[in-house]
Amino acid sequence: MASALGIASPLCMYGTIPIAASFSKNGMKDDWLAAFMMSSILLNPQLIVYSAALGREALLIRIISSFVCGIMAGLLVRIFYKKKDFFNFKGFEEPKSRDTDPNILFRFLKNIGRNIKATGLFFLIGILLSALFQRYVPAEAMTVLFGGNEAFGVLMAATIGVPLYACGGGTIPLLQAWITDGMSMGSAAAFMITGPATKITNLGAVKIVLGMRRFLLYLVFTIIFAFGSGIAINILLQ
């Protein structure tokens, strides 16, 4: 249930952490919080709508893999951190709200403007990258790199997701072009896991509440889960 709630949450990670801190203060267990925060990082209702452009199969794979990833994160915290704290929310303070305009219409328009300012450039970059890939990168090259059921393709997708991912909406055109050019669903799944999980803003927020040691464990878990799920998906779709 915590993992499902994380997917349903429309908040970004900087909005999710104050809520998680409140949950923790009121007695919610760390394993439930881990499931909630992990799936919240990977997916949200807005990204689900964007991901529909990738097709029904890719959308379903994204939802299921994010849900399972949250569950796995919660289970690992339950097993290995049963008698000690996993999170430390003392270093994260809720940011001051900017929704202060007394006019609800103006407040709504200002929110839209801030969202466009925050994500618009990345979305345009994603469209540009997609156009460049479709125009100048041969389909055969993408098939060799990401296609088929080879573990190398999944590993490459999981690795590329770390530095390349900008924002959810911005990567949809890029993924769409890759899948069209022969990227396997397992490779796509790996990219869709490591991408948002290692997005710079998400990493900054996660590191604050985890500390360096548990932060490194988070990165290792993300890459291993992305690689494993990608391999499993390719095997199932053979």
Side-chain angles (χ1 to χ4, degrees):
M1 290 300 295
S3 182
L5 182 60
I7 292 175
S9 171
L11 300 174
C12 67
M13 185 46 49
Y14 279 96
T16 297
I17 288 182
I19 293 177
S22 177
F23 287 164
S24 177
K25 185 178 180 180
N26 285 280
M28 181 178 282
K29 299 177 181 178
D30 278 0
D31 52 353
W32 294 3
L33 288 173
F36 170 75
M37 292 181 64
M38 188 74 237
S39 61
S40 180
I41 288 173
L42 298 180
L43 200 55
N44 57 59
Q46 183 180 15
L47 191 52
I48 291 175
V49 174
Y50 290 159
S51 299
L54 301 175
R56 184 180 301 175
E57 186 177 55
L59 175 61
L60 187 62
I61 286 173
R62 181 162 216 170
I63 294 173
I64 293 175
S65 61
S66 298
F67 179 62
V68 174
C69 189
I71 292 174
M72 289 297 299
L75 288 175
L76 288 174
V77 169
R78 172 175 291 187
I79 293 170
F80 294 103
Y81 284 83
K82 191 173 183 178
K83 296 183 179 180
K84 49 187 176 179
D85 293 335
F86 185 75
F87 296 103
N88 179 8
F89 293 104
K90 294 180 180 179
F92 193 97
E93 296 180 357
E94 185 175 359
K96 183 180 179 181
S97 174
R98 289 183 289 180
D99 292 331
T100 56
D101 196 299
N103 187 304
I104 190 170
L105 177 60
F106 288 161
R107 191 160 69 240
F108 173 69
L109 292 175
K110 287 179 180 179
N111 266 299
I112 292 179
R114 283 195 292 267
N115 276 285
I116 292 175
K117 183 179 179 181
T119 63
L121 177 62
F122 295 124
F123 192 79
L124 292 176
I125 290 173
I127 294 175
L128 176 62
L129 288 173
S130 174
L132 291 174
F133 267 91
Q134 292 187 52
R135 178 66 179 84
Y136 296 107
V137 179
E140 295 79 10
M142 301 309 298
T143 302
V144 170
L145 186 61
F146 295 127
N149 294 321
E150 297 296 329
F152 176 75
V154 177
L155 181 61
M156 284 299 297
T159 305
I160 288 175
V162 175
L164 187 59
Y165 198 93
C167 72
T171 56
I172 296 300
L174 188 60
L175 271 169
Q176 195 172 35
W178 283 352
I179 292 173
T180 301
D181 290 339
M183 185 184 211
S184 70
M185 279 298 167
S187 297
F191 181 86
M192 289 187 290
I193 292 169
T194 58
T198 57
K199 181 181 172 184
I200 295 299
T201 53
N202 287 341
L203 288 181
V206 170
K207 185 177 180 296
I208 291 173
V209 299
L210 292 184
M212 181 55 69
R213 183 173 178 273
R214 293 186 294 274
F215 175 71
L216 293 176
L217 291 176
Y218 163 79
L219 291 178
V220 171
F221 163 75
T222 298
I223 294 174
I224 291 177
F225 182 86
F227 180 71
S229 61
I231 295 295
I233 288 168
N234 276 343
I235 292 174
L236 290 172
L237 295 180
Q238 275 185 342

